């Protein structure tokens, strides 16, 4: 299907409300950010007309850690007043503290889960991170037993041979399901504009001798009929994780630049997490102005996902097909 470079509808809006994080994950550098940018309620209200005209259906707060924002639930209220679904991607460390507000103001939460207890804490580099995550989930479910909480695991060297144990940990935590994606190794996203040194890369990417173990874990999940059920990924998508680390992936099917945008705390707008900015929203430039501005339209008009080098190395795709938003995956890296 030929996609128009001019957006009439943009069903998904991904918002980074500030630039801080409370973890020190081995596969992400967001926690190293030193700025103090924060999206205010006034900032968001300024673009409500754009949000309505673009027919946004689902807003996702990402980070860093959105729950570190000083007024996050007011932002949630602005969106939910317009019947927009609101999701939070969280490290899980602050769920217990904010359980009541989450239960009142949010539609669902997606938490980082990097493995069973010891592996998770090692990846997060936060003592008792798993325990805090568990306490937060219990606190929310005590208030709303039916509240949907799912997990997302970023696969990298420390946890690549523990996928089955990660699924077991997700069930132990009482999650509604879990999804997996490969760690991003090559892009300038997530506060690493200059990329990684070879030494840092070697600490995140599974070594060649570890890949058979990863593939064994994947095939075990496939054989257990987990794919497309408790594990969100299809068999093909799950196997793509190993292909990514072997460097044999083709570009995924993706229409993210035509159905979504990522807005950072400082107003920078990207067509997805990985591609360069297409503009900045501010007092003079609305969200609609930016996503249908000259730069954004030119980007979409010339983007060939199949051949674009950034797309070819992408670890997470968005392929919106007017299906229920619960069936769409959102990238989660912490």
């Amino acid at each position: 299907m030929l996609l128009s470079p001019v957006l009439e509808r943009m069903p998904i809006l991904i918002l980074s409300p500030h630039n801080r994080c409370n973890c020190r994950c081995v596969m992400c550098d967001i926690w190293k950010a030193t700025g103090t940018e924060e999206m205010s309620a006034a900032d968001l209200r300024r673009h409500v007309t754009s949000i309505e005209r673009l027919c946004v259906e689902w807003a996702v707060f990402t980070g860093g850690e959105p729950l570190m924002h000083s007024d996050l639930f007011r932002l949630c209220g602005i969106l939910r007043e317009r019947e927009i679904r609101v999701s939070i991607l969280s490290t899980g460390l602050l769920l217990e503290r904010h359980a009541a507000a989450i239960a009142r103001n949010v539609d669902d939460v997606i938490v980082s889960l990097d493995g069973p207890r010891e592996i998770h804490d090692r990846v997060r580099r936060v003592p008792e991170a798993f325990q805090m995550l568990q306490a937060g989930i219990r606190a929310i479910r005590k208030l709303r037993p039916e509240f949907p909480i799912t997990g997302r695991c970023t696969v990298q060297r420390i946890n690549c041979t523990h996928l089955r144990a990660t699924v077991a940990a997700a069930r132990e935590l009482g999650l509604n399901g879990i999804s997996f994606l490969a760690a991003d190794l090559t892009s300038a996203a997530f506060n690493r504009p200059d990329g990684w040194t070879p030494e840092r890369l070697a600490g995140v990417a599974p070594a060649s001798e570890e890949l058979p173990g990863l593939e064994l874990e994947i095939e075990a999940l496939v054989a257990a009929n987990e794919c497309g059920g408790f594990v969100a990924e299809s068999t093909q998508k799950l196997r793509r994780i190993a292909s990514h680390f072997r460097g044999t992936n083709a570009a995924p099917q993706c229409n993210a630049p035509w159905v979504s945008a990522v807005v950072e705390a400082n107003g920078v707008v990207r067509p997805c997490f990985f591609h360069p900015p297409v503009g900045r929203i501010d007092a003079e430039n609305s969200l609609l102005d930016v996503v249908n501005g000259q730069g954004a339209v030119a980007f979409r008009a010339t983007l060939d996902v199949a051949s674009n080098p950034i797309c070819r190395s992408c670890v997470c795709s968005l392929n919106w097909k007017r299906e229920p938003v619960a069936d769409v995956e959102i990238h989660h890296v912490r």
Side-chain angles (χ1 to χ4, degrees):
M1 179 178 67
L2 183 63
L3 298 171
S4 171
V6 177
L7 301 186
E8 295 183 2
R9 299 176 63 90
M10 192 181 75
I12 301 173
L13 178 61
I14 303 170
L15 301 169
S16 295
H18 63 81
N19 61 343
R20 293 173 292 151
C21 192
N22 52 8
C23 286
R24 300 169 61 87
C25 299
V26 299
M27 66 288 187
C28 177
D29 287 347
I30 292 176
W31 59 271
K32 295 181 179 179
T34 58
T36 58
E37 294 94 347
E38 184 172 274
M39 183 183 298
S40 69
D43 293 333
L44 184 58
R45 287 195 184 99
R46 191 179 300 123
H47 304 288
V48 161
T49 299
S50 292
I51 290 170
E52 292 175 341
R53 289 183 59 184
L54 288 164
C55 304
V56 172
E57 302 174 34
W58 186 15
V60 181
F61 286 104
T62 186
E65 172 50 70
L67 292 172
M68 294 175 70
H69 188 277
S70 65
D71 204 9
L72 180 68
F73 298 107
R74 183 175 296 182
L75 303 185
C76 295
I78 292 169
L79 296 164
R80 293 185 93 214
E81 285 171 1
R82 288 154 181 86
E83 299 185 350
I84 295 171
R85 171 185 168 186
V86 172
S87 300
I88 291 179
L89 306 182
S90 175
T91 66
L93 303 186
L94 297 175
L95 291 183
E96 185 176 23
R97 181 186 303 177
H98 297 289
I102 291 169
R104 288 194 307 267
N105 298 289
V106 179
D107 292 290
D108 67 287
V109 171
I110 305 167
V111 297
S112 299
L113 179 61
D114 294 304
R117 186 182 301 266
E118 296 79 7
I119 297 295
H120 179 79
D121 291 359
R122 182 180 169 194
V123 172
R124 301 274 111 186
R125 294 193 287 195
V126 173
E128 300 184 345
F130 188 95
Q131 182 177 326
M132 286 186 277
L133 171 60
Q134 187 172 50
I137 293 168
R138 288 173 175 170
I140 294 171
R141 291 275 173 71
K142 184 176 181 179
L143 297 169
R144 285 183 58 189
E146 79 289 353
F147 188 90
I149 308 174
T150 56
R152 166 58 66 89
C153 177
T154 302
V155 179
Q156 35 82 22
R157 186 169 191 176
I158 293 174
N159 63 14
C160 68
T161 57
H162 300 276
L163 270 57
R164 283 176 288 178
T166 303
V167 171
R171 287 195 165 101
E172 174 191 346
L173 290 168
L175 297 180
N176 296 97
I178 188 167
S179 61
F180 292 91
L181 80 161
D184 172 47
L185 303 175
T186 58
S187 83
F190 314 115
N191 194 38
R192 50 185 195 206
D194 300 321
W196 277 339
T197 63
E199 293 76 18
R200 179 74 188 281
L201 187 61
V204 176
S208 58
E209 62 270 19
E210 293 167 323
L211 291 177
L214 168 61
E215 291 164 336
L216 178 65
E217 291 289 307
I218 290 171
E219 294 308 316
L221 291 175
V222 172
N225 295 316
E226 295 280 18
C227 296
F230 191 76
V231 174
E233 283 72 31
S234 65
T235 297
Q236 180 181 6
K237 276 195 171 184
L238 199 62
R239 287 172 173 161
R240 193 174 186 276
I241 293 173
S243 299
H244 168 77
F245 291 124
R246 289 195 180 278
T248 58
N249 265 351
Q253 287 187 319
C254 182
N255 59 4
W258 293 270
V259 298
S260 68
V262 178
V263 180
E264 299 176 359
N266 60 3
V268 166
V269 180
R270 297 177 184 270
C272 73
F273 284 99
F274 305 103
H275 281 284
V278 292
R280 184 190 296 264
I281 58 175
D282 52 31
E284 287 75 38
N285 297 286
S286 71
L287 178 62
L288 186 62
D289 293 334
V290 173
V291 299
N292 278 333
Q294 183 177 356
V297 170
F299 171 80
R300 288 189 292 269
T302 57
L303 177 62
D304 177 29
V305 171
S307 62
N308 183 276
I310 292 177
C311 295
R312 287 177 62 86
S313 63
C314 183
V315 297
C316 184
S317 60
L318 174 64
N319 195 23
W320 174 269
K321 296 180 180 178
R322 300 299 308 154
E323 296 174 349
V325 290
D327 295 335
V328 180
E329 294 178 38
I330 290 293
H331 188 67
H332 182 202
V333 173
R334 303 199 182 278

